[in-house]
Amino acid sequence: MTVYACGVDFDAIEALDVHAHVSIDWAGRRWLDGESVRSVHSMASASARPIPTIDAMAQYYRDRQMAAVVFTIDATAATGRAPNSVEEIAERAALNRDVLIPFGSVDPWQGTAAVRRVHRLIGEYGVCGFKFHPSMQAFEPNDRRFYPIYEAIAEYRLPLLFHTGQTCIGAGRPGGRGIKLRYSDPMLLDDVAADFPELTIVMAHPAVPWVDAQIAVATHKANVYIDLSGTSPTQFPPQLVHAIKTSLSTKVLFGSGYPVHDADRWRDDFANLGIPAATLPRVLKDNALRVLGVAGT
């Protein structure tokens, strides 16, 4: 029996933030260790902002007539740290189903156990997509050892959200805390998109230093999108701003990276980019509805 059923009235919301982190749960268990949390907040200039509970996140979006995709990341094998419970996040989202849309996460290194968990998270908890962070999870997304996971998700036609490019986690630390950026090269996802044309793939963040490659993949593959989270739009590379205004107006999504990045600030900064009026509603909501497979979009 599915415990989550999306209750978002998409006609009533102004925007849909496709990238919000549940980095600390309501019981106070951190997914990241203290040093990693400090590096994320330091790089994002958000050290003074309190980390909200998932219920507080729901109210934040509710107050703004917005909805949000929420998730954590299971990188147990690579980090040795258990994530916030994906199941509990889905259950908590069910209590705030008017504004929160849960994505699942599985550790790709768990093999057949990860495949079984995909089915369980969808069948029992009703997650609406899956989040992967190749650098944190230390895997190459186009390695065919991980294809059974994608095959399981493809059965349900749910979207996959992959971190791409630089990451705040480990930034400025010796060796970057062992995190390897090459796993988050968007060209690795070009293979996945080609091999799974039935899957919708979202590349999270402007993929510095591979923005040109990211634009090329999203332009070439009809099933690939870009979420614009992780930095202020004032810092977007110029070629990405041009693509948003032209070739990728139907392929880019509003994402903030809340709570590390503020959704209000993101929207204000984005409004100052000179984006065509017809493109704004696409980026803020319409493109995301298509990614989520919402009927009638």
Side-chain angles (χ1 to χ4, degrees), residues 1 7 14 22 33 53 60 130 152 166 168 170 177 191 230 249 273-274:
M1 178 178 178
E14 295 181 357
V22 181
D33 60 37
T53 64
Y60 175 90
F130 283 82
Q166 165 71 292
C168 295
R177 302 296 305 279
D191 292 348
S249 68
L273 291 183

Side-chain angles (χ1 to χ4, degrees), residues 277-289:
T279 299
L280 283 172
R282 296 173 186 169
V283 177
L284 291 177
K285 185 173 74 169
D286 296 346
N287 294 343
L289 297 186

Side-chain angles (χ1 to χ4, degrees), residues 95-131:
L95 300 176
N96 295 282
R97 59 170 57 90
D98 60 312
V99 290
L100 298 186
I101 301 169
F103 271 28
S105 180
V106 296
D107 186 337
W109 292 105
Q110 291 181 352
T112 56
V115 173
R116 290 195 299 270
R117 195 178 188 204
V118 163
H119 290 293
R120 181 168 177 263
L121 286 171
I122 297 170
E124 297 183 23
Y125 292 89
V127 301
C128 300
F130 283 82
K131 169 65 189 292

Side-chain angles (χ1 to χ4, degrees), residues 193-206:
D195 294 338
F196 292 91
E198 71 277 25
L199 277 178
T200 297
I201 295 170
V202 180
M203 299 181 287
H205 317 306

Side-chain angles (χ1 to χ4, degrees), residues 11 30 42 45 48 53 127 168 200 219 234 247 251 289:
D11 291 329
R30 287 187 186 274
S42 175
S45 301
T53 64
V127 301
C168 295
T200 297
T219 302
T234 61
S247 60
K251 302 293 291 290
L289 297 186

